[in-house]
Amino acid sequence: MIPSVLPTYNRAPFSFVKGEGSWLIEADGRRFLDLGAGIAVNALGHAHPALVKAITDQANALWHTSNLYRIPNQEALADRLVEHTFADTVFFTNSGTEACELAVKMARKYWYEKGKPEKTDIITFDGSFHGRSAAGIAAAGTEKMVKGFGPLLPGFVHLAWNDWDALEAAVGETTGAILIEPVQGEGGIRPLPDADLKKLRAFCDDKGLLLILDEVQCGVGRTGRLFAHEYAGIAPDIMMVAKGIGGGFPLGAVLATEEAASGMTAGTHGSTYGGNPLGCAVGCAVMDEVTAPGFLESVNAKAGLFRQKLEGLVADHPEVFESVRGSGLMLGLKCKAPNTDIVAAGYDNLVLTVPAADNVIRILPPLTISEEEIAEAVTRLDAAASAVESASAAA
Ligand SMILES: *Cc1c(COP(=O)(O)O)cnc(C)c1O
């Protein structure tokens, strides 16, 4: 009999009932060190006092009015994002995949209004992930996400990751934009080198294409900059944001330049909940914390420490791990043993990690993780790796 919850997830058998900073507490009382942060969502950890206060104050004042009216803290959050990024304007969504929907619509509308309605195609890359909506799955094109869900939204051209000849050959009359994650998350923590992102920007300028970045997972301080593309010293035309921006409240955004957003006039897009007072109260508090003096410096310092310790872990367990990769606190361990075995051994040692494609385990801790917690995390991962070694020796 089908469970009351539609069985689309393979869930680990834990029911967490409380969160404290980098820790999740199971119903039975066990304390897990959380290196997944709800898939890079709990950027400030669990129950951060500033976020608890922001949502509690807002809950006592007003929950929802709809976008029929002005929403003051939506305007405040948009102002903060505009102040700290390339963007001139922001639309709020409730998720990353809704941000993808708008990014696609915005690019198409841009070219339509420019008198080039044929420029509907968006180039995307292998291993990418843009969410589970109709546009999101068509954009990524991954077999396991699209199979059985056709006909897919047309207008996406899928290329191998980082194949410049294929890219050059793929651009034609109907090409309107390139969509890419600066650091692939689901694809296995694959950072696009800064030089390549620079080159991609120049390529878009040269060919007259919009550059859309998906920073849903790598944004909001995750890599040690507010947004990952800042390392390359470039700016996109359109950017998708979600996950960390809400710190655990469902919130997403599309950021754009005035030019790229020029087709999106009143009535062309909307959302009942998008940018609601609760989400934007939390979003403002997240932005205040992440842009506070010293915050990103501390992320970078901790990222350096974590990475160094993970290099040691890989050296100590050459049968289990191959290498460390990633950027900032968006780290990946490329595995030799099956990644799901290592994640499961982590569960036994009360440490939570997240599997990704390419046999990688993701390490996406709260950006507020302490140095002591990083040391503890590596101790637990070390025990997990030893358990995987003994199991394979016994087999
Ligand atoms: C998670 C993710 C999405 C989808 O976000 P949802 O909030 O799950 O819809 C899109 N792009 C990237 C890069 C993501 O990591």
Side-chain angles (χ1 to χ4, degrees):
M1 200 171 70
I2 193 165
S4 59
V5 175
L6 189 73
T8 61
Y9 299 103
N10 272 318
R11 298 173 197 267
F14 306 128
S15 303
F16 297 110
V17 292
K18 193 170 165 56
E20 290 168 4
S22 305
W23 299 86
L24 277 174
I25 295 128
E26 221 274 342
D28 65 10
R30 281 179 299 165
R31 292 173 64 86
F32 288 74
L33 189 44
D34 183 9
L35 305 184
I39 317 181
V41 166
N42 302 101
L44 300 178
H46 301 281
H48 189 285
L51 303 198
V52 172
K53 181 173 187 326
I55 199 164
T56 307
D57 290 352
Q58 188 61 47
N60 283 313
L62 182 65
W63 290 28
H64 177 80
T65 56
S66 86
N67 287 295
L68 292 169
Y69 314 105
R70 292 179 65 169
I71 299 176
N73 62 12
Q74 184 185 115
E75 294 174 21
L77 180 54
D79 287 346
R80 279 175 179 71
L81 287 165
V82 165
E83 184 195 335
H84 289 283
T85 69
F86 73 96
D88 301 313
T89 190
V90 184
F91 182 94
F92 291 103
T93 67
N94 308 291
S95 67
T97 206
E98 286 169 79
C100 181
E101 294 289 320
L102 173 55
V104 169
K105 285 175 71 176
M106 188 182 278
R108 289 186 175 182
K109 190 67 160 39
Y110 175 80
W111 289 117
Y112 178 85
E113 296 294 340
K114 291 279 163 197
K116 296 184 173 168
E118 71 282 3
K119 292 175 87 62
T120 52
D121 287 352
I122 298 179
I123 293 173
T124 63
F125 299 92
D126 289 353
S128 63
F129 182 78
H130 304 295
R132 299 295 197 133
S133 62
I137 62 171
T142 313
E143 159 101 27
K144 81 168 190 193
M145 284 198 293
V146 301
K147 199 175 168 199
F149 296 112
L152 299 178
L153 184 68
F156 295 97
V157 176
H158 304 108
L159 299 182
W161 197 64
N162 227 349
D163 180 343
W164 293 93
D165 292 338
L167 181 59
E168 184 76 44
V171 174
E173 290 296 289
T174 59
T175 313
I178 292 177
L179 165 60
I180 193 165
E181 293 158 84
V183 185
Q184 283 190 351
E186 306 301 310
I189 310 291
R190 292 200 295 175
L192 191 68
D194 294 343
D196 289 341
L197 194 49
K198 264 203 181 87
K199 201 166 145 191
L200 205 55
R201 174 74 270 181
F203 183 85
C204 286
D205 291 342
D206 185 43
K207 305 283 181 191
L209 306 176
L210 296 171
L211 177 62
I212 307 172
L213 293 183
D214 181 345
E215 292 227 18
V216 168
Q217 193 161 150
C218 62
V220 196
R222 176 59 47 192
T223 65
R225 298 292 286 262
L226 186 56
F227 290 101
H229 67 267
E230 295 171 23
Y231 280 115
I234 60 106
D237 301 292
I238 300 171
M239 179 168 73
M240 297 154 51
V241 177
K243 293 201 167 90
I245 189 69
F249 194 93
L251 178 65
V254 174
L255 279 62
T257 62
E258 183 166 13
E259 172 71 10
S262 56
M264 303 305 297
T265 51
T268 56
H269 196 60
S271 167
T272 299
Y273 291 121
N276 66 79
L278 288 171
C280 291
V282 180
C284 284
V286 169
M287 279 296 287
D288 287 347
E289 294 294 322
V290 174
T291 60
F295 185 89
L296 292 175
E297 286 81 351
S298 85
V299 170
N300 280 309
K302 288 184 287 191
L305 175 75
F306 213 150
R307 198 175 179 119
Q308 187 192 345
K309 287 185 179 293
L310 290 176
E311 299 283 2
L313 180 74
V314 170
D316 289 347
H317 299 279
E319 318 281 272
V320 179
F321 300 117
E322 190 173 306
S323 58
V324 186
R325 59 205 205 190
S327 176
L329 287 175
M330 185 169 183
L331 292 162
L333 286 168
K334 167 83 176 158
C335 303
K336 283 189 190 151
N339 59 348
T340 47
D341 288 0
I342 304 166
V343 171
Y347 293 154
D348 296 337
N349 288 280
L350 306 184
V351 60
L352 304 174
T353 58
V354 186
D358 201 26
N359 203 30
V360 162
I361 67 174
R362 275 179 282 180
I363 297 183
L364 310 160
L367 305 181
T368 50
I369 192 170
S370 70
E371 294 191 357
E372 296 70 37
E373 287 165 345
I374 289 170
E376 181 62 29
V378 177
T379 301
R380 293 183 184 202
L381 290 171
D382 183 69
S386 297
V388 169
E389 279 159 3
S390 332
S392 72

